[in-house]
Amino acid sequence: MRIGLGISIGMHVAILAAGIVSLPSAKLLEPDPIEAMPVDLVPIEELTDLRLGDRKAEPVKPPENRPQPKQTLRAPVEQPKPAEKVAKKPVEAVSEPAPTPLPKKVEEKKPEAKTETQVAAIAPPEAEPEPKPEPAKPVEALAPAPVPKVRPKPPKRIEPPKQVAVEKPKKKELSFNTDDIAALLNKRDPAGGGTPTPAVEPQTFGSIEGKATAAMTQSELEALKARLYQCWNPPRGVREARNLRVYVSISLNQDGSLAGPPKIVESGSDTLARVAAESAVRAVQICAPYDFLPPEKYSLWRSINFIFDPSHMLGG
Amino acid sequence: MTLNRWNLALAARMTACRVAVGLALAAGLAAPAAAQLNVDITKGNIQPMPIAIPAFIGVGGAPDELSMNVANVITANLQRSGLFRPIDPAAFIEASASPEGTPNFANWRPLNAQALVAGRIIPTGDGRISAEYRLWDIFTGQQLSGQQFFATPDNWRRVAHIISDAIYERLTGESGYFDTRVAFIDESGEKDQRIKRLALMDQDGANVRYLTNGGELVLTPRFSPSRQEITYSALSGDQWRVYLLNIETGQREVVGDFSNMAFSPRFSPDGQQVVLSLQQGSNTNIYKLDLRSRELTRLTASPSIDTAPSFSPDGNRIVFESDRGGSQQLYVMGANGGPAERISFGTGRYGTPVWSPRGDNIAFTKQEGGKFSIGVMAPDGSGERILTEGFHNEGPTWAPNGRVIMFFRESRGSGGGPQLWSVDLTGYNEQQVPSPSFASDPSWSPLLN
C-alpha cells in the first residue's frame, strides 16, 4: 500500500515535473509583434470646424473676442480672418499680435476689385489689329489671361500649417513619460488634470455655442458635390487626361452668391490644363448662387476650395 | 542582462509608440489646420456642351446669305461632332451678335449656353471676303479666342471649317478635324455593273469632285498623312497599277506596275514610302515601296495571306492582317519586317487594321457570327471595344485627331449598296456621311492647313 502510494506520488510528481519542464518551453506564448495601427475616431466637426482655428495662431487677440461672443452673425465672419492671415504670412502673423479684422477686409476686397476692372478694361475688343492683307492669316486677338496673375498667391496656403502640425508632436516627445502610456496614446492635450472637457480642448477663437452648428454634415457636402457634378462639363480632352487636376477657390457672400471671381489656385500651363481650368471656373459660376447651403453655417462655406479631378471619369 | 533586455524592449516599444503618436497627431491636426472647406469634384456632366452660334453679321450690319451659310456650316460641324449642342436660334433673345465690342451676356445667359460665337463676313472690296469671329465664355464674360481670315468668296466653306476647328480646339483641348477631305470610291449604276470612280469631298459631304472617269476598276484609295496626295490601286486591262495622285496639281503617276494583284497600298507617316500587298500564287505578302527610288522591299515571307498593312504614326511598326495562324488575325511587326507578334485573340476574324494618328488605338473590322463590326484595340491588343456592328461594316479610316472613324456600311437587298458612316470613339455618336450615290472605302485626309 505504502509502496503503491509512494509509486503513485512519485509518478504524479514525475509527470507534473515533466509537464512543467517540457510544456512551457514547447508553447511559449509569444504573440507576434503587431504594429499598432493608430485609428482615430474623428468627428467631422474637427475637420470642418473653422472655429477650431490654427493652433499656431493661438496668441492672437483672445481678449477681443471675449466681449462679443453672443454676436453669432458677426463673430463667424471675423474669426476666420486671423487664420487666413497666418496662413498667408506665417512669420508676420506671429510677431503682430492683434491684427484687427477690418483693415484685412479692405485688403481682401482690393485685389478682387482690381481683377474686375482689368477684365472690364480688356474686354472691349476695339483695340484689335485691323485687317492685314495676308490671305487666310489668322490674327490672334486679345487674349486676356488672368490665370497667371492669380496663381502665385494662394497655393501655399495649406502647406505651412501642415508643417506646424507635424513639428508640434515632436516637441512633446521630449517630455516622454513611460509611466503614462495612456496619456501618450491620447493625442489630445492634457486638460490640466481631471477628464478633458470638450470646452477646453481646442484652442479656438470661436464661441462654444457656435461650435454646435459648426459642422457641415455629410449630406450637406454631398448636396454641394451633386450640384457641382451637374454644372461641370469637362471637355472631352480633359476627361481622358490623367493626373490633370484643377484647384479653384471661391469666396461666397452670405446669400450664397460669389463674392468675387473664382480663383484658379493651381493648374498646369499647357492648352489642356487651360481648357480644364476654364471648364472648372465655368462650373462654379454656373452653380452660383450657392443658396442651398445652410445659412447658419456660413462661416464654414464662406470660402471653398474645389478640387476638380477628372481622372476617375470614364473617357471617350 | 535581463534588465538590459527589458530596457531594450521598452525602448523599442517606446519608439513604436512615438511613431504611432506622431502619426496620429499629424493625421488629426493636418486637416483642421487647413481651415477651409475642401470639396473634391470627381464627376461631371458629360452631356454635349451647349453653345450659341447666332447668324454671322454680313454686309450692312445684318445677316446676309453668305454669313448665314457660314454660321450654318459651323453649327452643323459642331453638332455632328457630338461634343456640342448648338442652341436652336429660335430661342435667341438677340438674333445675332457682332464681333465688335463685348456682347450683352445678360441676353445669352438665360439660354444656358456656355459659349457664344460672334462673327462677321464682309467683302473687303478687292474681290475677297474678310471673316472674323470671337468665341466668348458666357459665364465668365471672357473672350476665349478671336481670329480673322481673308479668302475668296467661293472658299467660304473652308473658312467655316477653319473657324469650326478653332472653336473645337479651344473648347475641347484637342485638335479639330473639320478642315479635311475624304477620298472614297463612288459607286453608281446597277448592282452587278457598278461604275467605280475615285472621288473626293469635304468631310461633311460637300464639294464632291471625281478624280477618275470610271474606265478602270479603282480600289483602296489612301491619303498621305503628310500632304495632299492619294495612293490607290487600279486594274486596267489585266495590269495592276499603284498610282500616286496629287490633288492640288492633279498630277498622276504610276509608282508600280504589277502583273499580279497589287492592293491596299498605304503611306508611311512621312509620305516617302508606301506599303502594299502583292499576290503571288496563293500567297500574298507585304512589300515596302520607296517612292523616290521605286525600290521594292519584301517585308513578310510566310506561306499565307498577309495584307492590309498600316504604319504606326512614329513609323517604327506596321500592323497587318494575316491568316498564318489558321484564322485571320492582326499582327504587328517592325517597319523593316522581321518577326511579327499577334495582337488579336478574340473569337472571329480580324481585318483591315488602321493605326490611329494618335498612336493609341488600332481600328479594325471584325467578322463574327455573320456580322461585320468596326472596333478599336490598343496596339498591344488590349482593351478591344466594338464601336458599331451590323450586317456589313468595313474599311475604317481615322480623322486626323484620332477621335472619329469613318467606314462604309453596306445595306442588304438588291437595291442596297454601301454608304459612308462615321462613329466616334465612344461608339454612341454614329452618323451617316452624305454622298451623291453609293460610296465605299473612305480615306480621311490630314488637316488641310
Side-chain angles (χ1 to χ4, degrees), chain B residues 240-268:
Chain B
W240 283 94
R241 290 200 173 114
V242 173
Y243 287 98
L244 191 63
L245 175 68
N246 188 312
I247 296 170
E248 265 138 27
T249 63
Q251 192 187 349
R252 189 167 82 147
E253 56 179 312
V254 178
V255 293
D257 217 337
F258 307 95
S259 53
N260 293 318
M261 187 175 179
F263 57 105
S264 68
R266 205 181 279 275
F267 282 97
S268 63

Short mmCIF file of all heavy atoms in Angstrom, two decimals, chain B residues 240-268:
data_model
loop_
_atom_site.label_atom_id
_atom_site.label_comp_id
_atom_site.label_asym_id
_atom_site.label_seq_id
_atom_site.Cartn_x
_atom_site.Cartn_y
_atom_site.Cartn_z
N TRP B 240 -2.23 45.48 -112.92
CA TRP B 240 -2.48 46.16 -111.66
C TRP B 240 -1.49 47.28 -111.52
O TRP B 240 -0.28 47.09 -111.65
CB TRP B 240 -2.35 45.20 -110.48
CG TRP B 240 -3.54 44.32 -110.34
CD1 TRP B 240 -3.71 43.08 -110.85
CD2 TRP B 240 -4.74 44.63 -109.65
NE1 TRP B 240 -4.93 42.58 -110.55
CE2 TRP B 240 -5.60 43.51 -109.80
CE3 TRP B 240 -5.21 45.73 -108.94
CZ2 TRP B 240 -6.87 43.48 -109.24
CZ3 TRP B 240 -6.47 45.69 -108.38
CH2 TRP B 240 -7.30 44.57 -108.55
N ARG B 241 -1.97 48.46 -111.25
CA ARG B 241 -1.08 49.59 -111.09
C ARG B 241 -1.34 50.26 -109.74
O ARG B 241 -2.48 50.33 -109.29
CB ARG B 241 -1.31 50.63 -112.18
CG ARG B 241 -0.86 50.18 -113.55
CD ARG B 241 -0.65 51.38 -114.46
NE ARG B 241 -0.07 50.90 -115.72
CZ ARG B 241 -0.70 50.97 -116.88
NH1 ARG B 241 -1.91 51.48 -116.95
NH2 ARG B 241 -0.12 50.52 -117.97
N VAL B 242 -0.26 50.73 -109.17
CA VAL B 242 -0.41 51.57 -107.98
C VAL B 242 -0.09 52.99 -108.39
O VAL B 242 0.97 53.26 -108.96
CB VAL B 242 0.51 51.08 -106.84
CG1 VAL B 242 0.46 52.07 -105.68
CG2 VAL B 242 0.08 49.70 -106.38
N TYR B 243 -1.04 53.89 -108.14
CA TYR B 243 -0.88 55.29 -108.57
C TYR B 243 -0.61 56.19 -107.37
O TYR B 243 -0.98 55.91 -106.23
CB TYR B 243 -2.18 55.78 -109.23
CG TYR B 243 -2.44 55.21 -110.59
CD1 TYR B 243 -3.30 54.13 -110.76
CD2 TYR B 243 -1.86 55.78 -111.72
CE1 TYR B 243 -3.57 53.62 -112.01
CE2 TYR B 243 -2.12 55.27 -112.99
CZ TYR B 243 -2.97 54.19 -113.12
OH TYR B 243 -3.24 53.69 -114.36
N LEU B 244 -0.02 57.32 -107.72
CA LEU B 244 0.15 58.41 -106.76
C LEU B 244 -0.49 59.62 -107.41
O LEU B 244 -0.15 59.98 -108.54
CB LEU B 244 1.65 58.63 -106.55
CG LEU B 244 2.08 59.53 -105.41
CD1 LEU B 244 1.65 58.93 -104.09
CD2 LEU B 244 3.59 59.68 -105.44
N LEU B 245 -1.42 60.24 -106.70
CA LEU B 245 -2.17 61.35 -107.29
C LEU B 245 -2.05 62.57 -106.39
O LEU B 245 -2.37 62.52 -105.21
CB LEU B 245 -3.65 60.94 -107.43
CG LEU B 245 -4.61 62.00 -107.92
CD1 LEU B 245 -4.34 62.34 -109.38
CD2 LEU B 245 -6.04 61.51 -107.75
N ASN B 246 -1.57 63.65 -106.97
CA ASN B 246 -1.50 64.90 -106.21
C ASN B 246 -2.81 65.65 -106.43
O ASN B 246 -3.16 66.00 -107.55
CB ASN B 246 -0.30 65.73 -106.68
CG ASN B 246 -0.09 66.94 -105.80
OD1 ASN B 246 -1.04 67.67 -105.50
ND2 ASN B 246 1.14 67.13 -105.37
N ILE B 247 -3.52 65.92 -105.36
CA ILE B 247 -4.85 66.52 -105.50
C ILE B 247 -4.76 67.96 -105.94
O ILE B 247 -5.58 68.45 -106.73
CB ILE B 247 -5.60 66.44 -104.17
CG1 ILE B 247 -5.83 64.99 -103.81
CG2 ILE B 247 -6.91 67.15 -104.24
CD1 ILE B 247 -6.32 64.82 -102.43
N GLU B 248 -3.77 68.67 -105.43
CA GLU B 248 -3.70 70.09 -105.75
C GLU B 248 -3.31 70.31 -107.21
O GLU B 248 -3.87 71.17 -107.88
CB GLU B 248 -2.71 70.78 -104.81
CG GLU B 248 -3.48 71.39 -103.63
CD GLU B 248 -2.78 71.20 -102.31
OE1 GLU B 248 -1.54 71.08 -102.30
OE2 GLU B 248 -3.48 71.15 -101.29
N THR B 249 -2.36 69.55 -107.71
CA THR B 249 -1.92 69.77 -109.10
C THR B 249 -2.66 68.86 -110.07
O THR B 249 -2.64 69.10 -111.27
CB THR B 249 -0.42 69.49 -109.23
OG1 THR B 249 -0.20 68.10 -108.92
CG2 THR B 249 0.39 70.33 -108.28
N GLY B 250 -3.30 67.81 -109.57
CA GLY B 250 -3.97 66.87 -110.45
C GLY B 250 -2.98 65.90 -111.11
O GLY B 250 -3.38 65.07 -111.93
N GLN B 251 -1.72 66.00 -110.77
CA GLN B 251 -0.70 65.16 -111.40
C GLN B 251 -0.83 63.72 -110.91
O GLN B 251 -0.99 63.46 -109.73
CB GLN B 251 0.68 65.70 -111.02
CG GLN B 251 1.79 65.11 -111.82
CD GLN B 251 3.13 65.58 -111.26
OE1 GLN B 251 3.21 66.47 -110.44
NE2 GLN B 251 4.19 64.94 -111.73
N ARG B 252 -0.77 62.78 -111.86
CA ARG B 252 -0.94 61.37 -111.51
C ARG B 252 0.25 60.59 -112.05
O ARG B 252 0.64 60.77 -113.20
CB ARG B 252 -2.23 60.86 -112.12
CG ARG B 252 -2.61 59.48 -111.66
CD ARG B 252 -4.02 59.19 -112.06
NE ARG B 252 -4.10 58.73 -113.45
CZ ARG B 252 -5.00 57.85 -113.89
NH1 ARG B 252 -5.90 57.36 -113.06
NH2 ARG B 252 -5.03 57.48 -115.14
N GLU B 253 0.83 59.77 -111.24
CA GLU B 253 1.94 58.96 -111.75
C GLU B 253 1.81 57.52 -111.28
O GLU B 253 1.24 57.25 -110.22
CB GLU B 253 3.29 59.54 -111.33
CG GLU B 253 3.45 59.71 -109.84
CD GLU B 253 4.82 60.27 -109.50
OE1 GLU B 253 5.81 59.73 -110.02
OE2 GLU B 253 4.90 61.22 -108.70
N VAL B 254 2.33 56.63 -112.07
CA VAL B 254 2.30 55.21 -111.72
C VAL B 254 3.56 54.93 -110.91
O VAL B 254 4.66 55.22 -111.36
CB VAL B 254 2.29 54.34 -112.99
CG1 VAL B 254 2.32 52.88 -112.61
CG2 VAL B 254 1.08 54.67 -113.83
N VAL B 255 3.38 54.41 -109.72
CA VAL B 255 4.58 54.10 -108.93
C VAL B 255 4.91 52.62 -109.00
O VAL B 255 6.00 52.21 -108.63
CB VAL B 255 4.43 54.54 -107.46
CG1 VAL B 255 4.38 56.05 -107.36
CG2 VAL B 255 3.21 53.92 -106.83
N GLY B 256 3.98 51.82 -109.45
CA GLY B 256 4.28 50.39 -109.55
C GLY B 256 3.36 49.75 -110.57
O GLY B 256 2.17 50.08 -110.66
N ASP B 257 3.91 48.86 -111.35
CA ASP B 257 3.18 48.19 -112.41
C ASP B 257 3.35 46.70 -112.16
O ASP B 257 4.46 46.19 -112.22
CB ASP B 257 3.82 48.59 -113.75
CG ASP B 257 2.76 48.74 -114.80
OD1 ASP B 257 1.70 48.14 -114.63
OD2 ASP B 257 3.03 49.46 -115.78
N PHE B 258 2.26 46.00 -111.86
CA PHE B 258 2.43 44.62 -111.43
C PHE B 258 1.54 43.71 -112.26
O PHE B 258 0.40 44.06 -112.55
CB PHE B 258 2.08 44.48 -109.94
CG PHE B 258 2.82 45.43 -109.06
CD1 PHE B 258 2.24 46.63 -108.69
CD2 PHE B 258 4.09 45.13 -108.62
CE1 PHE B 258 2.92 47.52 -107.88
CE2 PHE B 258 4.77 46.02 -107.81
CZ PHE B 258 4.18 47.21 -107.44
N SER B 259 2.08 42.56 -112.58
CA SER B 259 1.24 41.62 -113.31
C SER B 259 0.35 40.85 -112.35
O SER B 259 -0.70 40.34 -112.73
CB SER B 259 2.12 40.65 -114.11
OG SER B 259 3.06 40.06 -113.24
N ASN B 260 0.78 40.78 -111.09
CA ASN B 260 -0.06 40.13 -110.10
C ASN B 260 -0.90 41.18 -109.38
O ASN B 260 -0.65 42.38 -109.49
CB ASN B 260 0.80 39.39 -109.07
CG ASN B 260 1.50 38.22 -109.70
OD1 ASN B 260 0.92 37.49 -110.50
ND2 ASN B 260 2.77 38.05 -109.37
N MET B 261 -1.84 40.70 -108.63
CA MET B 261 -2.73 41.62 -107.94
C MET B 261 -1.95 42.40 -106.88
O MET B 261 -1.30 41.83 -106.01
CB MET B 261 -3.87 40.85 -107.29
CG MET B 261 -4.91 41.75 -106.70
SD MET B 261 -6.28 40.79 -106.09
CE MET B 261 -7.32 42.07 -105.44
N ALA B 262 -2.04 43.73 -106.97
CA ALA B 262 -1.38 44.61 -106.00
C ALA B 262 -2.46 45.47 -105.37
O ALA B 262 -3.22 46.10 -106.08
CB ALA B 262 -0.34 45.48 -106.70
N PHE B 263 -2.54 45.47 -104.09
CA PHE B 263 -3.64 46.22 -103.47
C PHE B 263 -3.29 46.69 -102.06
O PHE B 263 -2.20 46.44 -101.55
CB PHE B 263 -4.91 45.38 -103.46
CG PHE B 263 -4.76 44.05 -102.76
CD1 PHE B 263 -5.29 43.85 -101.51
CD2 PHE B 263 -4.09 43.00 -103.38
CE1 PHE B 263 -5.16 42.64 -100.88
CE2 PHE B 263 -3.95 41.79 -102.73
CZ PHE B 263 -4.49 41.62 -101.49
N SER B 264 -4.25 47.38 -101.51
CA SER B 264 -4.17 48.04 -100.20
C SER B 264 -2.84 48.74 -99.96
O SER B 264 -2.15 48.44 -99.00
CB SER B 264 -4.50 47.06 -99.08
OG SER B 264 -3.54 46.07 -98.93
N PRO B 265 -2.50 49.69 -100.85
CA PRO B 265 -1.31 50.50 -100.56
C PRO B 265 -1.61 51.48 -99.42
O PRO B 265 -2.76 51.88 -99.24
CB PRO B 265 -1.08 51.25 -101.87
CG PRO B 265 -2.43 51.38 -102.48
CD PRO B 265 -3.19 50.16 -102.06
N ARG B 266 -0.59 51.82 -98.67
CA ARG B 266 -0.78 52.83 -97.62
C ARG B 266 0.54 53.53 -97.36
O ARG B 266 1.59 52.90 -97.39
CB ARG B 266 -1.30 52.17 -96.32
CG ARG B 266 -2.06 53.13 -95.44
CD ARG B 266 -2.52 52.45 -94.17
NE ARG B 266 -3.73 51.64 -94.32
CZ ARG B 266 -4.96 52.14 -94.23
NH1 ARG B 266 -5.13 53.42 -94.03
NH2 ARG B 266 -6.00 51.34 -94.34
N PHE B 267 0.45 54.84 -97.13
CA PHE B 267 1.66 55.64 -96.95
C PHE B 267 2.33 55.39 -95.60
O PHE B 267 1.67 55.06 -94.62
CB PHE B 267 1.30 57.13 -97.00
CG PHE B 267 1.08 57.66 -98.39
CD1 PHE B 267 -0.20 57.76 -98.90
CD2 PHE B 267 2.14 58.06 -99.16
CE1 PHE B 267 -0.42 58.27 -100.17
CE2 PHE B 267 1.94 58.57 -100.43
CZ PHE B 267 0.66 58.67 -100.94
N SER B 268 3.63 55.64 -95.57
CA SER B 268 4.32 55.75 -94.29
C SER B 268 4.03 57.15 -93.76
O SER B 268 3.61 58.03 -94.51
CB SER B 268 5.82 55.55 -94.49
OG SER B 268 6.33 56.58 -95.31
#
